[in-house]
């Protein structure tokens, strides 16, 4: 909200020497954020001049300029020759002259310069050149503004260009501050200066009269709230729309961020900024019958003031007459009844509309306006009668209109719910020892009615504060009025506990280990489309149930993810498009795996401020789909860059398997890998990850088609596993084995098995048969060729044996090895290769 200082001074006493910083500091002290300071970026000399002569001179380019002699007063150098391209003035007119040394908005410095064969000693200014609007077809003729100043007078002061506005950020719950009335009251709270309420008028003079039909026919109220509760209409006749808007009003509107649009519209905008109630004016002679406020009908359309033909929604609230829609209530008026240069009689509308209705219409039509910004935050229900009369008075004063007894109104009882505020509650919440007088004084200062009760006070908030709904919001006002700097900074005492749970410790340990191994954590949004969920959420790519978002941020990713890989693929694509092609990234996060045939969600919301029962909690938990926490890794590009004497190494399946090993070690469990098939992975280059026979994830090279769809330029390897299940299988305690001081005995064994037998199964048989003496078994070779049958393969394992209490003999190691071979032979028909 931009607040012109001269306007603020009308309603509250502001020190004559107050700077913009002083005013902003006062607003900050009562909870507003400062944004900026706005000024007319203009400096003098800018003076009033009288045109003595204007000689037209045609130019070769087809343009005609005027060579003018302009009297700017003896103190400013007397008569000056000035070239002017405008033609809307004659000799004798008083104009605004910017003399050499002046600086106009831009910045545009003024100097004497030769042009069109003359030395132009200054410039005659237009409204746009002074920053007073968009008008640039001609220069400012002061008589058209109703001004007849002395020649040589300071035009900056005359046109109120020496004013400034402070800009403050208004939070959504404080809509009353979108008005000079509201911010002046807040400035009074901050400084103690006397506040003069512009809405303080005798109710008898606010009556709008009668004779004009107004009705509300809301057959589809949203949440039971009728679209319009109050609607005031007044009639002003015989206005002159050609009259100029006074310079003081133009200056204030411009500083407040609004364009001057003619005296009638300027008045409605001025009162909106002054009182916070948006106003709309209709050309009375264009109306057909009375006004009906109703919801739009299916298929109905209307043309708004911006010239757009809009398809209406049945929730849209309309202002209608006998011809149909003439306004989108609270958002924008219609083009058929707008005020124009031919308007002579005006119907003034001031109303209060349902905030939810207005907010939805403004967003639905992508039509945010100054009116909707105020209505959707809540307008003071007691202000429409004041606002309508204020507009009528200004149209009489500035546009020569005649106030009539014609009009109409819809009245509504304003029922403001009271709030019980216990004595001592503010002190307990804020931590400041406020006295009772301070609590009462703060609430009365903001306009509340406070009545003492046995246990505290009964508080009725002011009509302009719909945000004050409970005792906590009242306490916030007490703290705000008496200064947030009084609130002590006290470190809270942490509750007793044992820190992280075992599951949290495990998650942190795994994430730290993967990051330490050189991977970068890249969290992504948990959204995907159905195709991505089907592809990455299942082995075969079959359709799986997914949770659809009710209000998705992105319509192309409207489902909660079943896998972390879509997010990693998007991250990889984004980095590669920016030249970062060597990637080793990972993410830990929730995935959402609803079960087929199960309906999730609930309409039962437990009340606040009390713990739900165990039964209620169980029902709420049952309404949530399973949400396991996964970990996923993606590698692409080079894991080792090219160096002198060493070629670059591409990311391979071995690097992904190493990441699996890192995760397993951090979790404290062995993860087995067995060949498998998945729709998203390269055939023959995919492995299933399991712990103690239970499958928990997969690893492999991304299918070339999937990589191409993700715009990855080369090979990519990935893994994903259920981290929560992994840690559960590992158990709560991770016990580190003691290191033996005795030497190891190493032996290799090559076993010939059927080509279909997984190497991991053969290794498991060796480990089981070799017993406790076997410390490690690693596959080092998979040979298929000469000397091995066509349907067989030779698997070579490097075995390491060690005892904790003695040095093993070669015979003991061989015996353990052969015991392992015996189990492999029994299960798979394995034979030692000669």
């Amino acid at each position: 909200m931009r607040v012109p200082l001269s306007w603020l001074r009308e309603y509250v006493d502001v020190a004559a020497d107050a700077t913009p910083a002083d005013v902003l500091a006062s607003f900050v002290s009562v909870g507003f954020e400062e944004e900026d300071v706005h000024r007319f970026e203009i400096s003098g000399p800018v003076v009033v001049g009288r045109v003595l002569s204007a000689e037209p001179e045609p130019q070769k380019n087809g343009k005609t300029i005027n060579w003018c002699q302009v009297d700017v007063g003896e103190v400013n150098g007397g008569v000056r020759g000035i070239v002017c391209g405008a033609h809307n003035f004659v000799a004798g007119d008083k104009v605004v002259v910017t003399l050499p040394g002046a600086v106009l908005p831009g910045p545009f410095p003024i100097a004497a310069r030769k042009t069109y064969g003359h030395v132009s000693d200054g410039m005659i200014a237009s409204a746009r050149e002074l920053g007073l609007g968009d008008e640039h077809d001609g220069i400012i003729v002061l008589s058209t503004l109703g001004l007849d100043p002395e020649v040589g007078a300071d035009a900056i002061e005359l046109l109120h260009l020496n004013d400034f506005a402070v800009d403050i950020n208004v939070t959504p719950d404080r809509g009353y501050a979108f008005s000079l009335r509201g911010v002046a009251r807040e400035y009074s709270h901050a400084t103690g200066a006397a506040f003069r309420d512009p809405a303080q008028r005798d109710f008898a003079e606010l009556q709008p009269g009668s004779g004009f039909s107004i009705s509300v026919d809301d057959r589809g109220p949203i949440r039971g709230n009728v679209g319009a509760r109050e609607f005031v209409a007044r009639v002003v006749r015989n206005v002159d729309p050609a009259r100029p808007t006074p310079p003081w009003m133009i200056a204030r509107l411009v500083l407040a961020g609004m364009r001057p649009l003619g005296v009638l519209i300027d008045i409605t905008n001025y009162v909106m900024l002054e009182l916070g109630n948006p106003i709309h004016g209709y050309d009375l002679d264009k109306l057909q019958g009375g006004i009906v406020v109703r919801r739009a009908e299916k298929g109905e359309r209307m043309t708004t003031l911006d010239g757009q033909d809009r398809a209406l929604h049945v929730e849209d609230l309309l202002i209608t007459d006998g011809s149909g829609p003439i306004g989108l209530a609270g958002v924008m008026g219609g083009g058929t009844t707008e005020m124009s240069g031919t308007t002579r009689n005006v119907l003034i509308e001031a109303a209060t509309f349902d905030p939810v209705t207005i907010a939805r219409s403004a967003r639905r039509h992508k039509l945010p306006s100054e009116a909707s910004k105020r209505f959707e935050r809540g307008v003071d229900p007691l202000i429409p009668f004041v606002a309508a009369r204020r507009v009528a008075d200004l149209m009489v004063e500035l546009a020569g209109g005649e106030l009539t007894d014609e009009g109409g109104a819809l009245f509504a009882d304003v029922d403001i719910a009271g709030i019980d505020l216990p004595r001592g509650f503010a002190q307990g919440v804020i931590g400041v020892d406020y006295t009772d007088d301070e609590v009462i004084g703060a609430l009365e200062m903001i306009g509340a009615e406070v009545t003492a009760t046995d246990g505290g006070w009964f508080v009725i908030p002011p009509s302009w504060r719909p945000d004050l709904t409970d005792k906590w919001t009242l306490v916030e006002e007490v703290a705000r009025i008496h200064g947030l700097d009084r609130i002590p900074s006290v470190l809270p005492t942490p509750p007793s506990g044992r820190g992280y749970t075992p599951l949290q410790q495990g998650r942190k340990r795994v994430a730290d280990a993967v990051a330490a191994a050189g991977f970068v954590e890249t969290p992504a949004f948990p959204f995907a489309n159905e195709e991505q969920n089907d592809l990455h959420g299942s082995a075969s790519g079959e359709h799986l149930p997914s949770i659809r978002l009710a209000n998705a941020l992105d319509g192309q990713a409207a489902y909660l993810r079943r896998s972390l890989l879509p997010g990693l693929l998007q991250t990889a694509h984004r980095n590669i498009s920016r030249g970062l092609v060597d990637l080793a990234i990972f993410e830990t996060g929730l995935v959402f795996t609803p079960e087929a045939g199960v309906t999730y969600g609930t309409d039962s919301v437990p009340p606040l401020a009390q713990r739900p029962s165990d039964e209620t909690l169980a029902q709420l938990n049952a309404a949530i789909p399973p949400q396991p926490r996964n970990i996923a890794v993606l590698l692409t590009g080079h894991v080792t860059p090219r160096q002198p004497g060493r070629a670059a190494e591409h990311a391979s399946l071995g690097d992904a398997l190493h990441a699996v090993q890192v995760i397993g070690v951090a979790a404290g469990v062995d993860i087995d890998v067995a060949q498998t098939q998945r729709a998203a992975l390269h055939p023959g280059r995919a492995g299933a990850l399991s712990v103690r026979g239970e499958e928990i994830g997969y690893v492999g090279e991304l299918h070339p088609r999937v990589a191409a769809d993700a715009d990855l330029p080369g090979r990519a390897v990935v893994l994903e596993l259920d981290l929560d299940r992994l840690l559960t299988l590992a158990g709560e305690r991770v016990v580190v084995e003691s290191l033996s001081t005795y030497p190891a005995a190493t032996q290799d064994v090559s076993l010939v098995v059927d080509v279909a037998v997984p190497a991991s199964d053969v290794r498991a048989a060796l480990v089981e048969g070799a017993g406790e003496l076997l410390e490690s078994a690693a596959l080092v070779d998979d040979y298929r060729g000469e000397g091995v049958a066509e349907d067989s393969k030779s698997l070579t394992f490097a075995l390491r044996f060690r005892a904790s209490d003695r040095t093993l003999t070669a015979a003991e190691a061989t015996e353990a090895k052969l015991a392992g071979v015996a189990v492999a032979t029994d299960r798979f028909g394995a034979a030692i290769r000669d």
Side-chain angles (χ1 to χ4, degrees), residues 593-618:
T593 57
E595 299 176 5
V598 179
T599 301
Y600 296 97
T602 178
D603 295 328
S604 175
V605 179
L608 299 176
Q610 67 183 51
R611 188 183 188 279
S613 66
D614 292 341
E615 181 181 356
T616 301
L617 289 174

Side-chain angles (χ1 to χ4, degrees), residues 527-532 552-559 570:
F527 312 126
N529 56 44
E530 278 192 298
E531 292 76 12
Q532 291 171 330
L553 292 174
D554 182 356
Q556 295 182 343
Y559 295 84
Q570 290 179 3

Side-chain angles (χ1 to χ4, degrees), residues 551-744:
N551 187 20
L553 292 174
D554 182 356
Q556 295 182 343
Y559 295 84
L560 291 174
R561 65 189 178 188
R562 292 188 66 104
S563 167
L564 300 181
L565 281 184
L568 288 179
L569 290 173
Q570 290 179 3
T571 300
H573 167 67
R574 190 178 305 113
N575 280 271
I576 290 172
S577 68
R578 288 160 174 77
L580 303 175
V581 297
D582 300 329
L583 300 174
I585 57 179
F586 80 100
E587 180 182 2
T588 61
L590 298 178
V591 296
F592 306 84
T593 57
E595 299 176 5
V598 179
T599 301
Y600 296 97
T602 178
D603 295 328
S604 175
V605 179
L608 299 176
Q610 67 183 51
R611 188 183 188 279
S613 66
D614 292 341
E615 181 181 356
T616 301
L617 289 174
Q619 291 174 350
L620 292 174
N621 288 329
I624 301 173
Q627 300 178 33
R629 185 176 298 272
N630 283 12
I631 182 169
V633 167
L634 183 147
L635 299 101
T636 188
H638 297 136
V639 292
T640 303
R642 186 176 64 179
Q643 303 173 44
R646 182 174 180 178
E649 295 181 14
H650 290 277
S652 66
L653 188 56
D655 298 299
L657 291 171
H658 175 67
V660 171
Q661 184 181 19
V662 169
I663 294 171
V665 170
V669 69
D670 290 332
I671 302 177
D672 297 320
V673 183
Q675 193 172 48
T676 189
Q677 296 289 329
R678 287 189 71 88
L681 300 182
H682 195 297
R685 300 177 187 174
L689 304 178
S690 59
V691 174
R692 298 174 190 149
E694 180 178 335
E695 187 171 329
I696 60 169
Y698 59 88
V699 62
E701 182 181 320
L702 208 61
H703 195 290
R705 172 179 51 79
V706 177
D709 290 343
D711 293 326
L712 301 186
R715 178 181 300 175
V717 290
V718 298
L719 75 88
E720 182 170 13
L721 56 82
D722 185 336
L723 180 58
D724 283 348
R725 187 58 187 157
L726 171 70
L727 295 172
T728 300
L729 292 171
E732 293 187 359
R733 300 185 63 186
V734 177
V735 179
V736 179
E737 293 184 0
S738 300
L739 295 177
S740 174
T741 59
Y742 293 94

Side-chain angles (χ1 to χ4, degrees), residues 212-230:
F212 193 86
S213 173
I214 300 172
S215 63
V216 174
D217 182 19
D218 188 356
R219 301 178 184 178
I222 297 177
R223 299 179 183 175
N225 295 319
V226 176
R229 294 183 55 83
E230 288 188 321

